[in-house]
Amino acid sequence: MARLGVLLFLVQIVLAVCALISCLSAEEGKIRALPRIAWVLIILFFPLVGSIAWFIVGREPSSGASKGWPGGSSSPERQRPRPVAPDDDPEFLRSVQDRAKQQDQELFRRWEEDLRRREDDLRRRDGDPPREGDRPEV
């Protein structure tokens, strides 16, 4: 019998702590019936009754309370398309591939220009005029 009393006492304390946290963190417009300080005092002086009263009367029901079960068919999450992770989104993957392809082409173009410039510099240093016909076309 003593264990049951200890258990009920602990449940009452946990309920009171949860009610205090809820009361103190609630926005001013969400508190009903009494001012915040009155609710805090009621919860502290009458932990069991005050906590239950806070959860039933003192606060406005949260917007999630009337939505129903998360897996239910009336859930708004079911009606909206689920967000897709970037690595699962074909459009995002396509844009990454296109960007990588453009960067590769730009890098290749710069390498070709650098190679042509170096070849021309070597030909000028050797005294040969630059020849357009000797360059391979890409």
Side-chain angles (χ1 to χ4, degrees), residues 73-124:
S73 61
S74 65
S75 176
E77 290 87 20
R78 287 280 199 200
Q79 296 168 358
R80 287 182 282 158
R82 227 178 75 209
V84 179
D87 58 341
D88 292 338
D89 186 9
E91 185 177 327
F92 175 76
L93 292 175
R94 193 171 20 262
S95 71
V96 169
Q97 289 173 347
D98 292 344
R99 194 174 337 134
K101 188 175 181 180
Q102 289 174 351
Q103 289 173 348
D104 289 347
Q105 289 175 347
E106 177 64 24
L107 182 63
F108 183 67
R109 186 189 59 77
R110 282 189 279 145
W111 282 348
E112 280 185 330
E113 287 176 3
D114 185 49
L115 182 61
R116 285 185 181 135
R117 183 184 50 80
R118 289 180 185 207
E119 286 177 348
D120 289 344
D121 289 346
L122 283 174
R123 285 191 185 110
R124 284 189 197 114

Side-chain angles (χ1 to χ4, degrees), residues 1 4 7 9 20 23-24 26 33 39 44 49 51 85 90 102 108 110 112-113 119-120 125 127 134 136 138:
M1 193 62 156
L4 182 62
L7 181 66
F9 177 74
L20 275 174
C23 180
L24 293 173
W39 280 114
L44 287 175
V49 175
S51 301
Q102 289 174 351
F108 183 67
R110 282 189 279 145
E112 280 185 330
E113 287 176 3
E119 286 177 348
D120 289 344
R125 200 176 324 151
D134 291 343
V138 178

Side-chain angles (χ1 to χ4, degrees), residues 23-24 26-43 46 49-51 53-60:
C23 180
L24 293 173
E27 294 178 13
E28 197 63 42
K30 301 282 184 181
I31 299 174
R32 298 188 308 185
L34 296 171
R36 182 188 316 259
I37 189 69
W39 280 114
V40 170
L41 291 175
I42 290 172
I43 294 168
F46 309 103
V49 175
S51 301
W54 164 254
F55 286 119
I56 293 174
V57 178
R59 66 183 179 123
E60 287 187 11

Side-chain angles (χ1 to χ4, degrees), residues 3-24:
R3 290 182 186 170
L4 182 62
V6 171
L7 181 66
L8 291 175
F9 177 74
L10 289 176
V11 168
Q12 176 181 341
I13 296 299
V14 168
L15 185 64
V17 168
C18 290
L20 275 174
I21 290 171
S22 175
C23 180
L24 293 173

